[in-house]
Amino acid sequence: MSFSGGSSAAPSQNSAASAADRREAANLDTLFAGAADGGAAGRTTPAPQVAVASAADIAPPPARPPQREIAEPRGRAYLFRGVAGLIYSRGMDSLADRIRHAGVAASVQTYLLWRAAVDQAIQDYRRDPAPIVLIGHSMGGDSALAFAQRLNSENIPVSLLVTYDPTRIADDVPANVERYINIFQSSNFMGGGNVVQASRFHGHYASFNLKDHNEIIHSNIEKAEQIQEQLVRKIAELSATPAAVQGEALPLHLEVPTDAAVELWDSGLPVQAHAGDTLKSMAASYHVPVWSLAEINALLSEGQRVIIPRHLVPMPIPSTVTSYAPNGH
């Protein structure tokens, strides 16, 4: 399997993977097209373009250190298309291009080839440990989860795992995943997977159900540019964003309202309510929409623990040598 980095020209697609994709698309095109059209016909107001958020809609994330003080992007991203992916999962290709442009190597495979991809990923990680990113659409999301499970058996961490509308039979999120984001629609019969955490999972978890967004269907959910932009920013900052040092992480399960932007928080942060606090005042203080707090929390009372959606923040590079720096080298 080959990678394309931001600083070099993209190599030609692996011939075996391309042949498999072409055979898969030819065999499944008619069947999948009929299913997709049937799903779209049941929508009340389908839209030709995917526009689920804009920069003006989404609250700015917490202040980040100046770019020069943050570690350079590094890592490897493995993306997986779903069934008939060369037709219906092309958002994986555009997302991979964005990731490469941000300076992180990225490859795109059909969901059928995840086993070969994970074998190569294990070799690459043993040779050069770097953050691993897994992203998949539809059955590709199932493959990304299976990929993570295999890495778990090898004691290799996954820095970020993202699934776009995986199926209802997808694996749980394994314990080696540090950050997990699921973007799905419970109303989709071709996807609809509300993936849960495995019993030993203790990372950051955020699930976003877009069932009320009629402009989204299974075959375009991975193409939303504003969602891709948010993911690319997270990926570019992974090497500077340690997941284990930013406090307790509570899972988020959100149903995004029809008129609300899709903001990809990483997890929930518990805080204590004080006298006079309301959901509205706390939403203003923490720069989150009121609806998100209302979905997660009941009416406030003094001393109550309130869960706030939060973004993980990259850490600046230390400007001086710390006590952990080796001596004499």
Side-chain angles (χ1 to χ4, degrees), residues 6-42:
S7 59
S8 61
S12 60
Q13 180 73 22
N14 180 280
S15 59
S18 297
D21 275 332
R22 288 194 295 271
R23 289 194 299 272
E24 173 196 343
N27 291 335
L28 297 174
D29 184 12
T30 302
L31 176 62
F32 194 90
D37 291 343

Side-chain angles (χ1 to χ4, degrees), residues 113-323:
L113 298 182
W114 72 267
R115 290 177 180 84
V118 74
D119 288 341
Q120 184 63 53
I122 291 169
Q123 295 180 33
D124 289 341
Y125 188 85
R126 301 294 190 211
R127 171 180 52 81
D128 176 27
I132 292 176
V133 178
L134 305 177
I135 307 174
H137 171 230
S138 189
M139 285 293 293
D142 294 32
S143 294
L145 284 156
F147 192 120
Q149 185 61 55
R150 170 69 189 286
L151 292 181
N152 188 46
S153 69
E154 298 288 336
N155 295 315
I156 294 176
V158 175
S159 295
L160 176 63
L161 170 58
V162 179
T163 51
Y164 281 99
D165 213 27
T167 76
R168 290 174 170 83
I169 61 172
D171 292 338
D172 296 345
V173 187
N176 62 325
V177 175
E178 297 175 352
R179 298 162 69 177
Y180 174 68
I181 295 174
N182 188 27
I183 306 158
F184 78 109
Q185 286 183 309
S186 58
S187 54
N188 278 339
F189 64 90
M190 290 181 291
N194 185 14
V195 178
V196 299
Q197 312 97 304
S199 59
R200 302 171 75 93
F201 176 86
H202 298 292
H204 298 268
Y205 174 101
S207 177
F208 303 90
N209 189 348
L210 308 187
K211 66 181 181 63
D212 294 325
H213 278 260
N214 291 324
E215 76 278 16
I216 292 289
I217 58 176
H218 181 75
S219 58
N220 72 10
I221 192 169
E222 89 292 0
K223 298 177 179 67
E225 290 189 0
Q226 293 82 6
I227 291 178
Q228 289 193 5
E229 289 168 0
Q230 293 180 69
L231 290 177
V232 170
R233 184 174 65 191
K234 291 178 185 295
I235 292 166
E237 295 175 346
L238 271 179
S239 60
T241 311
V245 298
Q246 299 196 26
E248 184 179 2
L250 298 178
L252 289 180
H253 298 268
L254 294 169
E255 294 183 1
V256 183
T258 303
D259 58 349
V262 181
E263 182 169 358
L264 299 182
W265 296 289
D266 292 296
S267 59
L269 177 69
V271 300
Q272 190 174 51
H274 301 288
D277 280 340
T278 64
L279 290 179
K280 185 175 182 179
S281 66
M282 295 195 76
S285 296
Y286 288 93
H287 306 288
V288 297
V290 175
W291 69 261
S292 65
L293 296 186
E295 279 196 18
I296 303 168
N297 304 281
L299 295 176
L300 297 186
S301 59
E302 185 175 357
Q304 176 184 334
R305 190 167 84 154
V306 179
I307 300 173
I308 306 292
R310 56 93 175 269
H311 295 280
L312 297 183
V313 180
M315 307 296 289
I317 297 175
S319 58
T320 58
V321 177
T322 70
S323 61

Side-chain angles (χ1 to χ4, degrees), residues 2-12 75 77 96-97 99-101 103-107:
S2 60
F3 271 100
S4 294
S7 59
S8 61
S12 60
D97 287 341
I99 293 170
R100 295 178 192 123
H101 189 262
V104 175
S107 67

